[in-house]
Amino acid sequence: MVKELFRPRSIAVIGASRTPGKIGYIVLRNIKGYGFQGKVYPINPHADEILGYKAYPSILDVPDEVDVAIVTVPADNVPEVIEESGRKGVKVAVVITSGFSEVGNVELENKIVETARKYGMRILGPNIFGYVYTPSNINATFGPLEVARGSIALISQSGALGIALMGWTIMNEIGLSALLSVGNMADLDVAELSEYLADDPDTRVITIYLEGIKPGRGGEFIKKMREVTLKKPVVVIKAGRSRRGAAAAASHTGSLAGSDNLYEAAFKQAGIIRAYTVEEMFDIARVFAAQPLPRGENTIIITNGGGVGVLATDAAEFNDVKLLEPSQELKERLKTTMPWFGSAKNPVDLTGQAVVDNYVKALKIAAESSEVDNIVILYCRTAVLDPRELAKAIVELYESEHISKTTVVGFVGGEDTYEAIKYLNRHDIPAYPSPERAVYALSKMIWYRRYLEARKASPQA
């Protein structure tokens, strides 16, 4: 039944409006503008046509089957709409409308869920901004029209934050496969949506903004997510860690925030990677979306600056990333790529005199070495090496040599360095503006690899 949410043949917008600025207008505009190829039915008893689509007084008047109904009518009218949608055979009702358990109106929320269950229909929401699934060209939200396409799925319990992140991901060139607003989670919840995404070929990593799990669903959440994390990495940012933050979360979506220690334990048991900021969550997601899982633990750092190399070394030690002790043979080979005063230890310091050729030769040696599993490429802005030229050379090398070793990049500098970072990210080499962020993202891939190995060795662990 959840499949129809992601791959519907038809969508009805109940409460579609002819007035620009109204939610019912924006949702319909986004469905049309983002290029959904299925049938679209605006439902409005006072209109014959909206945005070029024939309108119908009621969903029961639509002559064809309807897979998904987007509901934007006032809360008091939602029960009737759910009843009619159920009679129509709608598979999923996406209830954007607010005014349910988040404001204490639990009875009304329970009523729409009971009605939906009577017809075998599922509910996403209520109290949400809609949803996006880029492989099906669906943007059924009242957020921005543009959504960058990619392989990161984002599930958000906050509507406003979810909308804000639509713009944030575009600005940071982070591509999404799905963006799902879940709100009060009256029916479909984070775990069930994650189960679908775990088998979705267009999603490589699942990210979640979570405020809380409904009372009594903790055990079920852990059980389901343990199965999900065997298939896909899951990164969660849990809001409401503080006492006052927990109270705010409870009033926001009607969820049980609970003790942060309990959530910490639940995440570990389920194999979930925890992030503490939005930036951190997407730093981690970016590397999972772009790179293969590490084949082993041994990591090498290649840099043109001793300082950033030391910072990366500290980050590696603090985050349990094993730095390789290169063999004498590997050191001798690496020495050929640098001035006599460089260092072939790990970090490999090509010195501030390094140009593109030094990096390319060192990277080829690291990529070819059986000692090396993971590569951290660092760069500090120097007058002798344009970061954009280095970025192009790295991409060309990785594509021409088909290098598949897990790689992260940390470039430190100004505007041209930022351009180089964006170029690398566009070509699936995850790049960050600091050595610490690059190493931290890699550390989570290494942790996830260990987790999978432990689960395979002891499935009940």
Side-chain angles (χ1 to χ4, degrees):
M1 190 67 75
V2 180
K3 186 185 87 170
E4 282 82 5
L5 178 69
F6 295 91
R7 302 191 184 274
R9 295 162 298 175
S10 54
I11 299 175
V13 180
I14 304 176
S17 174
R18 292 173 291 188
T19 307
K22 286 202 169 183
I23 288 176
Y25 177 90
I26 298 169
V27 170
L28 187 63
R29 180 204 67 188
N30 283 354
I31 290 171
K32 181 175 184 176
Y34 203 68
F36 177 61
Q37 296 299 301
K39 295 178 179 178
V40 180
Y41 304 107
I43 307 301
N44 182 325
H46 308 296
D48 295 323
E49 174 269 333
I50 305 175
L51 289 173
Y53 296 113
K54 177 176 169 52
Y56 296 88
S58 160
I59 194 166
L60 294 173
D61 296 315
V62 174
D64 304 308
E65 291 184 6
V66 178
D67 287 333
V68 172
I70 315 291
V71 180
T72 68
V73 300
D76 289 344
N77 301 123
V78 171
E80 181 185 357
V81 162
I82 296 299
E83 173 71 34
E84 290 179 349
S85 297
R87 285 166 55 194
K88 181 63 181 174
V90 169
K91 309 300 188 300
V92 185
V94 177
V95 184
I96 289 176
T97 310
S98 302
F100 293 89
S101 65
E102 81 279 5
V103 294
N105 207 343
V106 178
E107 190 177 327
L108 189 64
E109 187 166 295
N110 289 341
K111 183 178 181 181
I112 66 171
V113 173
E114 287 167 14
T115 302
R117 285 185 179 151
K118 181 172 69 175
Y119 292 103
M121 181 172 67
R122 306 304 304 272
I123 288 179
L124 180 65
N127 184 29
I128 65 175
F129 66 88
Y131 79 107
V132 172
Y133 186 63
T134 60
S136 296
N137 298 328
I138 296 172
N139 178 354
T141 73
F142 58 88
L145 171 61
E146 294 306 319
V147 181
R149 299 169 189 269
S151 57
I152 299 171
L154 170 61
I155 302 172
S156 177
Q157 206 169 349
S158 165
L161 180 65
I163 291 173
L165 289 177
M166 290 173 80
W168 193 87
T169 53
I170 291 169
M171 183 180 71
N172 289 278
E173 297 189 0
I174 293 169
L176 301 178
S177 58
L179 175 53
L180 302 161
S181 177
V182 293
N184 298 0
M185 295 193 291
D187 179 23
L188 285 171
D189 62 8
V190 164
E192 192 168 352
L193 292 168
S194 296
E195 284 181 312
Y196 178 88
L197 293 167
D199 293 318
D200 177 26
D202 294 296
T203 297
R204 291 191 64 177
V205 55
I206 301 165
T207 60
I208 301 170
Y209 167 81
L210 184 69
E211 291 185 353
I213 300 162
K214 290 285 187 182
R217 291 191 186 177
E220 182 187 3
F221 174 83
I222 292 170
K223 183 180 177 183
K224 287 182 176 179
M225 296 308 289
R226 274 176 62 83
E227 295 307 307
V228 171
T229 56
L230 277 177
K231 300 175 182 179
K232 300 271 171 76
V234 177
V235 187
V236 172
I237 179 170
K238 167 67 178 68
R241 293 166 58 204
S242 66
R243 180 180 59 81
R244 293 190 72 163
S251 65
H252 181 207
T253 55
S255 294
L256 181 68
S259 163
D260 193 64
N261 290 336
L262 290 177
Y263 279 98
E264 184 75 26
F267 293 159
K268 284 181 179 174
Q269 198 176 341
I272 289 169
I273 299 164
R274 185 168 188 178
Y276 293 92
T277 66
V278 169
E279 182 178 73
E280 195 177 287
M281 179 172 73
F282 283 113
D283 276 359
I284 298 165
R286 193 190 284 281
V287 72
F288 276 109
Q291 288 288 297
L293 272 182
R295 290 180 289 191
E297 300 265 338
N298 291 325
T299 303
I300 196 165
I301 299 169
I302 298 173
T303 180
N304 71 338
V308 288
V310 173
L311 290 172
T313 302
D314 283 344
E317 188 164 327
F318 294 146
N319 292 290
D320 201 18
V321 174
K322 179 186 173 186
L323 293 184
L324 168 70
E325 293 287 348
S327 67
Q328 191 59 39
E329 179 189 352
L330 180 54
K331 283 194 278 192
E332 290 300 325
R333 293 191 68 201
L334 287 167
K335 280 180 183 177
T336 65
T337 70
M338 63 187 69
W340 65 269
F341 51 88
S343 172
K345 297 176 183 178
N346 192 9
V348 177
D349 188 356
L350 302 175
T351 80
Q353 293 185 13
V355 292
V356 165
D357 189 55
N358 299 99
Y359 270 98
V360 168
K361 285 178 178 174
L363 285 170
K364 281 190 76 170
I365 289 168
E368 291 167 0
S369 171
S370 59
E371 298 176 39
V372 176
D373 296 312
N374 313 304
I375 303 171
V376 179
I377 308 170
L378 303 180
Y379 164 84
C380 277
R381 183 66 170 99
T382 66
V384 300
L385 178 54
D386 187 314
R388 294 162 295 195
E389 294 303 314
L390 177 58
K392 287 176 184 173
I394 291 170
V395 169
E396 187 178 328
L397 173 68
Y398 271 67
E399 290 182 351
S400 63
E401 300 284 331
H402 304 292
I403 296 172
S404 60
K405 288 189 175 176
T406 309
T407 300
V408 293
V409 176
F411 273 28
V412 182
E415 192 173 332
D416 53 0
T417 307
Y418 184 64
E419 289 174 20
I421 289 170
K422 294 209 302 190
Y423 182 84
L424 287 160
N425 282 322
R426 286 183 203 131
H427 290 85
D428 287 335
I429 298 178
Y432 307 89
S434 75
E436 296 93 339
R437 284 171 64 179
V439 172
Y440 184 74
L442 175 63
S443 76
K444 296 305 178 183
M445 287 198 96
I446 292 170
W447 179 90
Y448 183 64
R449 176 183 178 274
R450 290 179 192 141
Y451 167 76
L452 291 179
E453 286 186 337
R455 284 288 302 277
K456 285 169 187 170
S458 180
Q460 301 307 315

